[in-house]
Amino acid sequence: MSSVEISSILDNSKELDRLKKEQEDVLNEINKIHKKLQTTPEIVEKSGDALLLKLRAFYVQARDLAENELSVSTTLMAQLDTLMQSAVPAGQQRKKIVSEPKKKRMKADSEVPRHPPATSMRSQLELAAGLKGEQVAARVTPDDAEKDEWFVVKVIHFDREAKEFEVFDEEPGDDEDGGGQRTYKLPMSRIIPFPKRSDPASAPDYPTGKHVLAVYPTTTALYKATVVNLHRKRKADDYLLEFDDDEEDGSMPQRTVPFHKVVPLPEGHRQ
């Protein structure tokens, strides 16, 4: 267990707390407008569409904050799973190798993401269901794959019972099956929502030297990268990144990536 892993978990926990506090502030503003509409409904006629537009803007902000909470929570789940697995001594791991039915049950249990105390299962499911029609980052390779492959996909459906996303790759494939659009069914732990382009303030802010997962320019694939820009002042500013294994003529090029195409690097990422 490294200090970097612990530090990353603490950073994401703080970010989750910040998002929840900001959600509470937005909900308070929404409730104030609701109360005003209930007590003085004639205010709509006096203020015209201004009040309703303001209410709608708060709803959009609340939705975006909720989706960012899901993104950070999903990352925390993966980090905690990795941490718990690494904390189990080898001797205890061997003791868990028992009968076949129990092994199957253990495997099924491991596919259900563990949630940090700050987020309830019900909240997670509601946020996941709200991603329908959105682009997200998805790991399409199985757990036992040699390398993790992450792509930009679009959410078609979320199955609450199975806790599973149905997504499709909007880019035509170049494989042997005709190069059509590929559809996947993936558990929640393999999905990371992107920050909202319309709400940079709610996006995570990655410092210089931080490892992230980002969309490689002109592609729909995500790769591990390191934040290198020193002069990024606003959350809406693009990131300057160095992608792993991207060496050209003996040097590592620095590439510009929009903030809404950068997500936290999952723990245990294999590339």
Side-chain angles (χ1 to χ4, degrees):
M1 183 190 310
S2 70
S3 58
V4 176
E5 291 172 337
I6 297 296
S7 175
S8 180
I9 289 175
L10 292 175
D11 287 345
N12 283 325
S13 296
K14 290 177 183 177
E15 178 64 14
L16 193 63
D17 288 340
R18 186 193 69 79
L19 287 169
K20 293 185 78 64
K21 184 179 184 305
E22 195 167 343
Q23 285 183 74
E24 290 175 2
D25 293 340
V26 172
L27 288 174
N28 285 336
E29 293 298 325
I30 289 174
N31 288 333
K32 286 179 184 178
I33 297 178
H34 283 175
K35 188 174 181 180
K36 189 178 293 186
L37 290 173
Q38 289 172 352
T39 55
T40 54
E42 63 275 8
I43 196 172
V44 177
E45 296 179 4
K46 293 179 181 178
S47 61
D49 293 336
L51 187 63
L52 297 179
L53 287 172
K54 186 177 181 181
L55 180 60
R56 185 183 185 282
F58 279 131
Y59 272 121
V60 171
Q61 188 178 358
R63 181 200 63 191
D64 293 346
L65 286 168
E67 290 176 355
N68 279 291
E69 181 190 358
L70 175 61
S71 174
V72 177
S73 297
T74 302
T75 302
L76 267 171
M77 284 188 284
Q79 290 176 323
L80 292 172
D81 284 345
T82 302
L83 197 60
M84 287 186 285
Q85 290 170 8
S86 64
V88 178
Q92 291 186 23
Q93 289 179 355
R94 285 195 294 269
K95 290 177 183 178
K96 289 184 179 180
I97 302 176
V98 287
S99 64
E100 192 65 24
K102 188 171 182 179
K103 284 195 288 186
K104 289 180 179 178
R105 186 168 67 253
M106 288 166 61
K107 182 178 180 182
D109 290 344
S110 69
E111 293 174 352
V112 179
R114 297 177 178 86
H115 297 268
T119 309
S120 68
M121 174 63 76
R122 182 177 178 182
S123 174
Q124 284 290 313
L125 295 177
E126 289 175 354
L127 295 176
L131 289 175
K132 183 177 179 180
E134 298 285 339
Q135 284 190 334
V136 297
R139 176 164 66 85
V140 300
T141 46
D143 292 336
D144 57 358
E146 192 173 321
K147 294 182 179 180
D148 294 338
E149 293 184 6
W150 288 80
F151 293 106
V152 178
V153 299
K154 193 169 187 177
V155 177
I156 304 173
H157 176 68
F158 177 69
D159 188 330
R160 288 174 177 265
E161 294 298 322
K163 299 180 181 65
E164 187 177 69
F165 285 93
E166 183 177 357
V167 302
F168 76 95
D169 187 349
E170 296 179 277
E171 289 292 315
D174 55 2
D175 45 25
E176 297 177 357
D177 60 5
Q181 292 177 331
R182 291 162 292 184
T183 302
Y184 304 93
K185 288 188 176 182
L186 303 171
M188 294 172 66
S189 58
R190 293 197 207 169
I191 298 292
I192 304 179
F194 287 114
K196 282 290 182 182
R197 183 188 308 195
S198 59
D199 187 18
S202 63
D205 195 8
Y206 305 109
T208 299
K210 184 75 172 178
H211 295 309
V212 295
L213 198 66
V215 178
Y216 192 85
T218 72
T219 77
T220 57
L222 293 92
Y223 299 98
K224 181 182 176 182
T226 304
V227 178
V228 296
N229 51 312
L230 301 173
H231 306 293
R232 187 173 181 271
K233 297 179 180 179
R234 300 175 305 164
K235 285 193 171 185
D237 291 342
D238 292 341
Y239 280 100
L240 198 60
L241 306 176
E242 287 183 354
F243 285 88
D244 284 19
D245 306 320
D246 190 29
E247 189 173 332
E248 286 184 358
D249 300 324
S251 63
M252 194 73 75
Q254 297 180 348
R255 304 191 185 276
T256 301
V257 179
F259 78 92
H260 57 273
K261 294 297 182 183
V262 181
V263 296
L265 182 71
E267 288 293 326
H269 176 73
R270 298 161 296 183
Q271 182 167 306

